Amino acid sequence: MRIAIFASGSGTNAEAIMNAAKTENLKAEVALIVTDKPKAKVVERASRHNVPILICDPKQFETKAAYEQEIVNELQKNEISFIALAGYMRLIGPTLLNAFRGRIVNIHPSLLPSFPGLDAIGQAFQAKVKITGVTIHYVDEGMDTGLIITQEAVRIEVEDTVDTLQKKIQKVEHQLYPSTLQTIIEEIGRLNK
Ligand code: GAR
């Protein structure tokens, strides 16, 4: 299974997936990293892992459809069959969704449907909830609204700050994302038999 990871920022989740893909824990090849931010740290991580990177700046396209069509062309050229969004901070539009329907998943740092959108960790902290967590879900046209695949809770302790909470959440993400991708890949394999 050749997968692409989309990321806009640091890319720690992308790195966790690339690491897992070098072991038996994740039987997939990370065949492409896609970013919309030329200066994102994920670019450096991808090159360290020798994974090809597609830098596609939406500002260079007249429409979102044209931007996404360029990405779809590259995904097809690279024979990508599955997409994992990992901190890709853009809504997926119909061009990409229709080309990869049911084959795009996302990780979000809250227990959806609570705290969708930007700064989910800060939102949970401000709301003073005692439990937040991580969600992995299929992607649809909405903002963090697709069918939930799995969730893991993270407790917010009184001594936590946004910073310590973020570290706890990311630790969970780095385990949960690769293992969930492996489960999905096994399921796809069973269905294709
Ligand atoms: C992750 O915590 C991910 O859950 C979040 O962005 C972070 C990316 O970190 N995604 C969203 O908020 C999506 N709505 P990373 O670049 O270090 O993997």
Side-chain angles (χ1 to χ4, degrees):
M1 167 86 73
R2 290 168 64 79
I3 68 171
I5 304 172
F6 285 38
S8 304
S10 173
T12 63
N13 279 283
E15 180 133 38
I17 297 167
M18 289 188 286
N19 282 333
K22 290 182 177 154
T23 71
E24 286 294 293
N25 294 341
L26 178 56
K27 297 192 182 74
E29 182 184 348
V30 180
L32 192 65
I33 299 273
V34 178
T35 189
D36 55 335
K37 295 271 189 279
K39 292 186 180 149
K41 200 166 170 204
V42 70
V43 175
E44 195 187 307
R45 295 187 200 269
S47 58
R48 236 191 295 124
H49 284 263
N50 285 321
V51 172
I53 179 134
L54 171 67
I55 300 173
C56 209
D57 184 349
K59 286 191 224 109
Q60 316 225 305
F61 295 82
E62 286 206 348
T63 61
K64 180 164 180 149
Y67 162 69
E68 288 195 339
Q69 190 57 55
E70 170 70 15
I71 295 177
V72 169
N73 294 345
E74 290 298 320
L75 294 170
Q76 287 170 347
K77 240 189 261 169
N78 283 278
E79 298 179 335
I80 301 298
S81 47
F82 199 85
I83 298 171
L85 307 183
Y88 179 69
M89 302 312 256
R90 267 171 206 285
L91 266 185
I92 302 294
T95 306
L96 194 48
L97 257 185
N98 290 335
F100 282 83
R101 194 163 284 278
R103 292 183 292 147
I104 311 178
V105 296
N106 180 43
I107 189 162
H108 185 77
S110 76
L111 295 177
L112 290 172
S114 292
F115 312 122
L118 290 178
D119 191 23
I121 298 173
Q123 289 186 57
F125 194 80
Q126 290 295 325
K128 300 191 183 340
V129 293
K130 296 292 179 197
I131 295 175
T132 183
V134 175
T135 301
I136 295 172
H137 64 94
Y138 284 105
V139 172
D140 64 10
E141 7 324 84
M143 164 92 77
D144 304 319
T145 50
L147 183 73
I148 291 171
I149 301 165
T150 191
Q151 294 185 302
E152 192 169 318
V154 172
R155 188 167 280 281
I156 306 181
E157 308 289 353
V158 276
E159 62 271 21
D160 271 324
T161 61
V162 173
D163 215 43
T164 59
L165 179 58
Q166 183 180 2
K167 287 198 174 79
K168 288 204 282 194
I169 287 200
Q170 288 229 307
K171 195 170 170 209
V172 169
E173 290 189 326
H174 299 162
Q175 297 296 321
L176 191 64
Y177 212 180
S179 65
T180 303
L181 287 172
Q182 177 57 26
T183 306
I184 295 168
I185 286 165
E186 283 168 14
E187 186 64 20
I188 292 173
R190 263 196 295 279
L191 291 173
N192 286 343
K193 258 189 199 156

